[in-house]
Amino acid sequence: MTGADVVLSLAGTRRQRGSESDGFRLEVSHLALRRGECIAITGPSGSGKSTLLDLLGLVLAPDRSDGFMLNPQPGAAIDVARLWQRHDRNALAAIRARHIGYVLQTGGLLPFLPAIDNIRLSRDLLGLGDGDGLVERLTGALGIGRLLRKKPQALSIGERQRVAIARAIAHRPALLLADEPTAALDPGQAVGVMKLLLALVRELRITAVIVSHDWDLVSALGLRRVQAEPVTGEPLAVSRLTG
Ligand code: ADP
Ligand code: MG
């Protein structure tokens, strides 16, 4: 793996939640994600999955880090550890808005905006035009073309999650983070929505980290548990899409 192929790398990165004595500590000894790669993080409730995702998403500050680099395009490496040391929250927020997409368990759509405006929000904030046709491609692929004028409360949960996926990808981020994105769906629907998500990130060469407590779902997607577990201290497992 050459440096240019690595979109995200962490070494010796730690985050404590709650007190030192009876709180929770997440420790990532080493984690590197290649461009276009998809990984899943699995583990039981409370094992630190959301904590890890929030660290990767530049939402949660590490207590210490020996290395935390985001490389959204080849040759454009960003030293995230240093930005956290400097408490440069504006720079972190700008990087998050441009290079990261986040799908939450329950969508997190803005209730007062129709689906299409939710989807376009990050593009509009970044001043991206419609020239690349990506919004149309996404809404077509996700089967939500006829729902675009509806507000989130008029959509089913499955429809909301598909809108949330389109929203997280529409600005073509380097990194997509999804925290239990299908936990509110029935199992059959969950596999279908996850497969759509995987197909889109593969096509667009977006690096994706999908969190799930549901190992059956992760294996149904063809993700395989990796031997070396870079996240230590807690029963978190990392799976990579192979082949
Ligand atoms: P998961 O997503 O795997 O269910 P989390 O990352 O949400 O796990 O939580 C990991 C641990 O950190 C849990 O023990 C949880 O209680 C604790 N925790 C999460 N958020 C906070 C917080 N804001 N303050 C203190 N402890 C927290
Ligand atoms: Mg969680």
Side-chain angles (χ1 to χ4, degrees):
M1 211 189 295
T2 67
D5 291 335
V6 177
V7 167
L8 185 74
S9 65
L10 272 78
T13 300
R14 198 181 92 174
R15 171 69 197 216
Q16 177 81 30
R17 312 212 79 171
S19 69
E20 284 278 343
S21 54
D22 65 350
F24 171 86
R25 180 192 287 179
L26 178 79
E27 201 145 350
V28 183
S29 54
H30 178 75
L31 181 65
L33 304 183
R34 288 193 310 275
R35 197 167 306 282
E37 180 176 34
C38 180
I39 73 163
I41 309 281
T42 48
S45 176
S47 58
K49 301 183 299 296
S50 296
T51 300
L52 176 60
L53 218 56
D54 281 349
L55 273 176
L56 301 183
L58 320 187
V59 175
L60 202 60
D63 299 323
R64 55 157 291 180
S65 176
D66 299 331
F68 189 158
M69 300 293 286
L70 180 67
N71 199 6
Q73 291 116 27
I78 298 165
D79 188 340
V80 173
R82 198 169 159 161
L83 292 174
W84 278 122
Q85 275 161 15
R86 289 190 191 156
H87 305 287
D88 194 343
R89 290 187 177 271
N90 288 340
L92 288 159
I95 294 161
R96 208 159 53 227
R98 179 63 199 92
H99 299 301
I100 297 178
Y102 217 127
V103 187
L104 300 168
Q105 186 170 338
T106 49
L109 299 171
L110 295 177
F112 47 86
L113 290 180
I116 186 64
D117 293 346
N118 266 290
I119 294 168
R120 286 220 174 100
L121 194 60
S122 52
R123 289 184 73 93
D124 290 348
L125 292 172
L126 292 163
L128 303 177
D130 272 338
D132 61 5
L134 182 55
V135 169
E136 273 197 5
R137 261 165 72 203
L138 287 174
T139 55
L142 288 160
I144 50 176
R146 56 184 182 82
L147 308 173
L148 297 178
R149 304 298 342 152
K150 293 191 175 186
K151 290 191 180 157
Q153 75 267 20
L155 301 174
S156 73
I157 294 169
E159 289 167 346
R160 270 181 232 170
Q161 286 309 79
R162 282 183 280 147
V163 172
I165 289 167
R167 183 182 67 162
I169 296 179
H171 60 302
R172 208 171 180 150
L175 180 64
L176 177 78
L177 305 173
D179 196 353
E180 310 258 11
T182 58
L185 310 185
D186 63 59
Q189 258 191 324
V191 173
V193 171
M194 281 286 206
K195 283 189 170 162
L196 281 173
L197 174 79
L198 286 186
L200 287 168
V201 296
R202 273 185 144 176
E203 183 195 332
L204 298 168
R205 289 209 77 204
I206 294 171
T207 303
V209 182
I210 297 169
V211 155
S212 179
H213 67 278
D214 184 350
W215 172 247
D216 290 342
L217 173 62
V218 167
S219 28
L221 298 171
L223 291 151
R224 301 275 166 262
R225 212 170 273 231
V226 289
Q227 295 299 321
E229 293 188 9
V231 182
T232 56
E234 293 298 325
L236 281 180
V238 176
S239 309
R240 290 177 193 264
L241 195 60
T242 51

